[in-house]
Amino acid sequence: MRSQRAVRVHMAMGTALALGLLGACSRSSIGTEAPVWITAGIRPPHGRTLRAGSVAAIQRRAEAEAPTTSPEWCSSAAALVEGIEGCSEKDAENWLRDGFAWSRSSLRFWRTTRKNALPNPDSVQRVVEWLKKRDLARRDWVKKFPQVVGLDAAELDEAKATAPSYLKKDEVYLKAITSNPQLVGKNYNCLEEHESCQGKCARCWNT
């Protein structure tokens, strides 16, 4: 019968092999393939630590490479830099990643409706103009809900049309979206249509 120490060693090696951890962090620099415990979002193995900046770098590398040099992307970024007060080139790139589902963080909003899409410069420009008319074309507002740049102006109008009755008045609705930018992404009410949750929580007025 094996000793408790032998059992613990055997179990630890099995876990490490299953996760592909042995040797994954032994390199002095981060390779192109991220350790499993980073991309899977689980706790690192005992004794393995990385600085927050390194973790963020690995997660960005695990995302698909956005076509940042394509004409569509460049024109869309230019529309944001020119039209959104305080927007930098870096802001524009990050917002386009979120707006067109290139970032991990944006997937909760887009779910299966969008994945690694190419920006439409005309659509982005229409969104900028929609925001300008409501004095929302500001960096401090857009950064709270960057997915807005990937919506179309028609969808932004639809949000108000599907809003609860207490938000129907223009001045009330404007005040609400000014303080809570995520509201412009709502276009669905699960209780009215199905009387139960349909898994579209990021866009539902009941969440």
Side-chain angles (χ1 to χ4, degrees), residues 49-205:
T49 59
L50 279 178
R51 295 189 302 273
S54 298
V55 173
I58 291 176
Q59 289 176 334
R60 286 194 300 270
R61 196 166 290 170
E63 297 174 354
E65 287 296 325
T68 55
T69 58
S70 69
E72 295 87 351
W73 190 284
C74 292
S75 296
S76 298
L80 294 175
V81 172
E82 294 172 7
I84 304 297
E85 181 182 345
C87 176
S88 66
E89 293 182 0
K90 186 62 177 176
D91 289 331
E93 180 179 331
N94 290 337
W95 296 347
L96 288 174
R97 288 179 184 275
D98 288 332
F100 294 89
W102 291 89
S103 68
R104 288 161 55 94
S105 60
S106 66
L107 296 183
R108 181 181 180 276
F109 177 80
W110 296 113
R111 298 178 68 84
T112 59
T113 62
R114 177 172 292 178
K115 176 68 174 177
N116 297 352
L118 197 62
N120 181 321
D122 292 335
S123 178
V124 173
Q125 185 61 53
R126 285 193 294 269
V127 169
V128 170
E129 296 303 322
W130 191 95
L131 295 175
K132 282 183 176 180
K133 290 179 181 178
R134 293 155 180 83
D135 194 29
L136 300 176
R138 311 186 309 269
R139 181 181 184 274
D140 64 328
W141 189 90
V142 177
K143 72 177 183 179
K144 295 177 182 177
F145 183 58
Q147 290 88 345
V148 67
V149 306
L151 296 172
D152 190 81
E155 291 183 276
L156 298 177
D157 289 331
E158 185 181 71
K160 182 177 183 297
T162 60
S165 58
Y166 63 87
L167 290 177
K168 292 297 186 181
K169 291 185 177 180
D170 291 343
E171 61 273 19
V172 175
Y173 182 74
L174 180 58
K175 184 176 181 179
I177 64 175
T178 299
S179 61
N180 187 358
Q182 293 188 8
L183 293 182
V184 298
K186 308 289 187 181
N187 64 358
Y188 179 75
N189 189 322
C190 62
L191 296 183
E192 283 189 2
E193 298 184 31
H194 299 280
E195 297 185 355
S196 64
C197 179
Q198 299 296 305
K200 302 178 181 179
C201 301
R203 309 203 69 175
C204 181
W205 283 103

